[in-house]
Amino acid sequence: MKKGMKVLSTLLFLLMLAFMTGCGEKAEPFVDKNMPYEPDTPAPDPHEGVFASEHGTMTFPGDGENVVIDFDKELSEYLELPEGKQEARYFFMTGILPPHGKMPIRYDVAHEFQIIVGEGENRKAVDIEIGVYKDGSFSTGTNCTTADRITFFVDLDKNGDWEALDFLKQD
C-alpha cells in the first residue's frame, strides 16, 4: 500500500509540475544586458592634434586609429613600451564585461586606453586605465575623457601610489 501511495504522490507531483510549467507566461528570450553603454547621442569626433603631459606626447591625425607616441623613459618603462617616438594604433576600451572581456568603445564612456606598437612577433599591446582625478578621487567612465583631455592612471614607482597623468590638447 505504501508503495502505491509513493507512486501516486510522485505522479501527482509530476502532473502538477507539468501543469505549472505549461500554464506559466512565456519568458522573454534571454538578452545579455552586460554590453557596453552607448549614450543616446552621436559619437564624438576622434582625437586630433598633439596631447602633451610631463612624460611625453601623443599626436593624433584624427582618423580614430593611429597615434604617434613619444613617451619619456619613465613612462615607457612603466608601460613596457619602447622609449621615444613610435607609430602606434589605439583603441578606447570598456572595462571587463563578462563574458565578453574588454571591447572597443567611444572615448566619452571608455575605462581604458589601449596602445598597440609594432607588428607580428614585435607587437606589444598595453591597456592603461583612464578617467579623471577630481575632488581627491579617481573616476572612470562617462564623460571622463574629453576631446581636450586624456588622463592615464599610473603607478610610475610601482609602490601603490597611483597618480593622474593628464595629456592635454595643445593649441
Side-chain angles (χ1 to χ4, degrees):
M1 184 79 160
K2 284 187 176 185
K3 188 175 184 182
M5 289 297 285
K6 283 184 180 180
V7 171
L8 184 58
S9 295
T10 303
L11 183 60
L12 286 174
F13 175 75
L14 291 174
L15 284 172
M16 192 170 66
L17 185 62
F19 178 75
M20 288 173 35
T21 303
C23 294
E25 287 185 35
K26 297 293 181 197
E28 292 291 320
F30 175 75
V31 176
D32 185 8
K33 296 183 188 221
N34 197 15
M35 295 297 290
Y37 169 69
E38 287 287 337
D40 193 17
T41 58
D45 291 333
H47 288 91
E48 186 171 6
V50 177
F51 287 69
S53 80
E54 67 262 25
H55 290 284
T57 61
M58 295 188 292
T59 305
F60 296 90
D63 64 2
E65 294 179 16
N66 298 293
V67 63
V68 176
I69 59 172
D70 191 0
F71 297 152
D72 68 6
K73 182 178 181 177
E74 187 176 21
L75 183 57
S76 295
E77 285 179 359
Y78 172 75
L79 296 174
E80 298 178 4
L81 291 173
E83 184 180 351
K85 195 176 245 184
Q86 304 287 322
E87 290 187 17
R89 289 182 300 133
Y90 74 94
F91 298 94
F92 287 94
M93 306 291 286
T94 64
I96 296 175
L97 297 174
H100 308 291
K102 299 174 186 178
M103 301 172 71
I105 196 165
R106 50 193 271 185
Y107 71 76
D108 60 338
V109 292
H111 292 243
E112 294 184 0
F113 185 69
Q114 184 178 78
I115 298 174
I116 303 169
V117 177
E119 298 289 329
E121 290 180 14
N122 296 324
R123 182 181 181 271
K124 174 70 178 175
V126 62
D127 294 336
I128 306 158
E129 291 185 53
I130 59 172
V132 68
Y133 182 75
K134 187 168 139 181
D135 300 328
S137 65
F138 295 102
S139 297
T140 191
T142 306
N143 295 322
C144 290
T145 298
T146 68
D148 299 323
R149 184 191 70 245
I150 303 169
T151 301
F152 290 1
F153 298 148
V154 295
D155 180 9
L156 293 175
D157 298 327
K158 296 185 180 179
N159 63 3
D161 188 18
W162 291 84
E163 61 184 280
L165 182 58
D166 290 321
F167 282 86
L168 302 174
K169 186 171 184 177
Q170 305 299 293
D171 294 327

